[in-house]
Amino acid sequence: MNHVQNSAAFSPCVLVPVYNHEHAIVATCEGLAALNLPIVLVDDGSDAGCASVLDHLAQASDVHLLRLPRNRGKGYAVRHGLAHAQTLGFTHALQVDADGQHDQSSLPPFIEASRHAPDRLLIGYPRFDHSVPLHRFISRYITHVWVWCNTLSTTLRDTMCGVRLYPLAAVNAMLARHGCGHRMEFDTEVLVRWFWAGHPVDNLPVRVTYPTDGVSHFRLFRDNVLMARMHLRLTLGMLIRLPKLILGRARHRRDERHKSSS
């Protein structure tokens, strides 16, 4: 059913990629109900137990379920979910992880900010509590440094947080040209390529708690190899774009000086 094909220009939904999170997804969806937005669940080839839970959730009139035949990775699920959301008539999608680690009181500002600036991709940056594992806290800063080098900018504060709000037409057009990877590397690469294309971004805080019984699908060797390949690919892309990035950085500094003097 198409909820929004002929509605107002700003028609957001919530996009949740799911892979075997049957113990968390119900509570996640219950919390998201406070946003009063349709939810698009993307089943990334979950086992029968989780698939059954998703079938039950999809009986609600404001929940759409896109089922992928086999597990291909978070990036693959998000990319297909974004395309599916656009075919349903939505203009924007607020991506949220299924595991419940994001404080849902942090989400309404994304919707309001996007309503006023619908062309911007809104990126969550985490506000961790004591539950964050030290190795994750340190490892994500390695990615931050690579991203800041690849963009010659600190505009992208955090490219690994699972909360972001995408303008669907623009990001799907970009993803038609650049797939940005099937797995965990997608979250970082899509933001770097968005920045390279000159599209606007804003960063909003998100409180993050790591559940003690949380399920992680990060595979240490496989995903670190994919991340390393992604950073190499982006570094080569940065070198090709280096003159443009330097000019953009100089223009930004000039604009900042003009603002401070006016």
Side-chain angles (χ1 to χ4, degrees):
M1 176 179 178
N2 189 325
H3 282 268
V4 293
Q5 191 70 41
N6 298 310
S7 62
F10 181 68
S11 300
C13 67
V14 182
L15 175 68
V16 187
V18 187
Y19 177 56
N20 291 343
H21 283 102
E22 62 268 28
H23 300 300
I25 187 60
V26 173
T28 297
C29 288
E30 288 173 350
L32 291 171
L35 295 174
N36 197 29
L37 294 176
I39 299 173
V40 178
L41 300 173
V42 184
D43 179 5
D44 186 22
S46 295
D47 295 341
C50 183
S52 176
V53 172
L54 296 179
D55 286 336
H56 177 74
L57 290 170
Q59 293 177 16
S61 61
D62 59 347
V63 176
H64 303 266
L65 176 60
L66 172 63
R67 173 154 286 142
L68 303 179
R70 64 187 179 93
N71 177 249
R72 298 286 297 273
K74 180 183 179 182
Y76 188 91
V78 170
R79 190 164 72 249
H80 281 74
L82 293 171
H84 185 63
Q86 188 175 7
T87 65
L88 292 172
F90 298 111
T91 61
H92 293 74
L94 174 63
Q95 177 190 323
V96 179
D97 285 350
D99 57 9
Q101 65 175 278
H102 303 121
D103 184 345
Q104 294 174 351
S105 67
S106 300
L107 302 180
F110 283 80
I111 302 300
E112 288 309 306
S114 186
R115 192 185 307 276
H116 295 292
D119 61 330
R120 292 182 174 271
L121 198 161
L122 305 178
I123 308 167
Y125 64 90
R127 295 299 195 193
F128 293 112
D129 64 10
H130 65 278
S131 67
V132 59
L134 181 61
H135 70 279
R136 291 200 181 189
F137 186 79
I138 294 173
S139 64
R140 70 190 302 124
Y141 267 88
I142 297 173
T143 289
H144 295 349
V145 171
W146 274 108
V147 166
W148 297 335
C149 291
N150 293 153
T151 58
L152 299 186
S153 169
T154 57
T155 298
L156 305 178
R157 290 190 57 166
D158 187 298
T159 61
M160 301 181 74
C161 181
V163 175
R164 60 272 304 271
L165 195 149
Y166 291 103
L168 288 174
V171 77
N172 283 331
M174 187 188 77
L175 289 172
R177 300 188 300 273
H178 307 288
C180 297
H182 286 351
R183 297 192 179 275
M184 301 294 186
E185 74 275 24
F186 173 89
D187 278 349
T188 293
E189 186 168 359
V190 67
L191 298 184
V192 172
R193 291 194 178 278
W194 179 271
F195 179 90
W196 281 350
H199 298 308
V201 300
D202 275 332
N203 301 274
L204 281 73
V206 177
R207 290 180 57 198
V208 177
T209 300
Y210 280 83
T212 57
D213 59 347
V215 177
S216 174
H217 297 299
F218 188 88
R219 299 294 176 261
L220 188 63
F221 179 77
R222 180 198 68 190
D223 288 313
N224 277 323
V225 169
L226 290 173
M227 292 292 286
R229 289 174 57 188
M230 179 266 296
H231 285 305
L232 177 59
R233 185 165 62 246
L234 293 181
T235 298
L236 294 174
M238 179 272 291
L239 293 174
I240 294 170
R241 295 168 175 83
L242 191 58
K244 180 180 178 180
L245 291 172
I246 292 173
L247 287 174
R249 185 175 178 84
R251 189 179 304 114
H252 176 74
R253 287 179 173 175
R254 186 180 64 245
D255 292 343
E256 290 298 313
R257 285 197 298 269
H258 178 72
K259 289 179 182 178
S260 63
S261 62
S262 60

